[in-house]
Amino acid sequence: MSRRTVSAQAPARAGAGGNGPVAIQVLDVWKSFQAGLDVLRGVSFHVARGELVVIEGPTGAGKSTLFRLMIGAERADAGTVFVNGTEISGGGTPDLAAVRRSMGLMVQGMPLLPALTVADNIALALRAVKAPFHDTRIRVYEMLKAVGMEGRRTAYPPQLSGGETQRVCLARALVTRPPIVLADEPTALLDEVAAREVISTLRATHARGATLLVATHDPGLAGRLGARRVILQAGRVVVAGPVAERA
């Protein structure tokens, strides 16, 4: 199938699957890393402001690449991506830093800093948005407690397990109370108890009004979150379904 370039146009209000203004809109996006090997193939969907959406698909479906496009870490070969009305998919967006500051990001390629403690890694996110200094210790502790990691606040990243690292990265993404959150595989590597803590934290974040976009290979996560499902297979959206009921 040939690619077509979609002209940039500010997103309108959400249609089916979400009400109100659009927070994220992806329009006919294509991306490849090798000639003839498309990772994303004409992907289109939207996330309404305040909505909770799960991007579901197997490993290699293109979920992480899609997330990197939505934060401006990759450029689309064709198509457009809007975040709160700002087109970011073409690269060189003057407002890209401001767009990223409005987002809580748990995505591949954003590791914890190994020379800083868990608490200091999370505090960095608060300093980036110029949060009041007297709030920092309290908010860091509260966020670590929410993901069950308050006992590891003085540990260093190399001392953490894979699952512990996942939870700290989620705490870092949420600590600034951002209006938009992107979480890539937030329950991967977690046991059932830890996964429940993370799911509870994501639900609470959505309940306070945040827009959440969660990527997962777990077909049961959308139901546990009560989220609308967008299913990605081989780089294409095959289902953009209604809100799933919580298990």
Side-chain angles (χ1 to χ4, degrees):
M1 180 180 294
S2 63
R3 305 180 188 183
R4 63 183 181 87
T5 301
V6 178
S7 59
Q9 51 184 328
R13 297 178 69 84
N19 298 311
V22 171
I24 298 172
Q25 188 155 17
V26 178
L27 297 172
D28 200 18
V29 164
W30 293 76
K31 179 66 180 178
S32 64
F33 293 101
Q34 299 179 35
L37 181 59
D38 293 314
V39 178
L40 297 175
R41 306 164 66 197
V43 170
S44 295
F45 68 94
H46 73 269
V47 181
R49 196 170 299 168
E51 192 179 11
L52 173 52
V53 173
V54 165
I55 305 291
E56 182 184 312
T59 300
K63 303 184 300 295
S64 295
T65 298
L66 181 60
F67 269 37
R68 289 181 60 78
L69 286 170
M70 288 188 286
I71 66 171
E74 298 284 355
R75 296 181 62 175
D77 296 333
T80 50
V81 178
F82 292 96
V83 176
N84 278 339
T86 299
E87 198 279 314
I88 65 168
S89 49
T93 303
D95 297 329
L96 182 57
V99 170
R100 284 183 176 174
R101 283 194 297 271
S102 74
M103 304 168 81
L105 305 175
M106 179 187 174
V107 299
Q108 291 186 16
M110 298 186 69
L112 301 173
L113 298 178
L116 297 181
T117 66
V118 162
D120 286 340
N121 265 281
I122 297 173
L124 277 179
L126 289 167
R127 294 188 188 113
V129 297
K130 297 180 171 56
F133 178 78
H134 63 274
D135 286 349
T136 298
R137 285 185 63 188
I138 295 172
R139 288 172 65 175
V140 168
Y141 182 80
E142 289 177 345
M143 199 67 255
L144 285 172
K145 186 176 181 180
V147 297
M149 288 292 292
E150 70 273 22
R152 300 288 274 157
R153 61 188 181 278
T154 60
Y156 288 86
Q159 298 171 321
L160 303 179
S161 69
E164 288 174 330
T165 300
Q166 286 283 96
R167 286 185 279 169
V168 174
C169 287
L170 180 61
R172 180 181 61 180
L174 300 180
V175 73
T176 61
R177 300 169 188 161
I180 299 175
V181 176
L182 270 59
D184 190 0
E185 298 284 4
T187 58
L189 308 177
L190 302 185
D191 59 30
E192 183 59 30
V193 172
R196 282 200 301 267
E197 289 175 335
V198 165
I199 289 167
S200 177
T201 301
L202 290 171
R203 285 176 175 172
T205 301
H206 179 239
R208 69 164 170 78
T211 303
L212 264 71
L213 187 59
V214 178
T216 185
H217 65 272
D218 178 1
L221 184 58
R224 297 175 73 181
L225 285 170
R228 180 164 66 90
R229 300 164 75 217
V230 175
I231 299 179
L232 199 63
Q233 290 183 3
R236 292 189 184 278
V237 172
V238 295
V239 173
V243 175
E245 294 191 8
R246 294 181 182 177

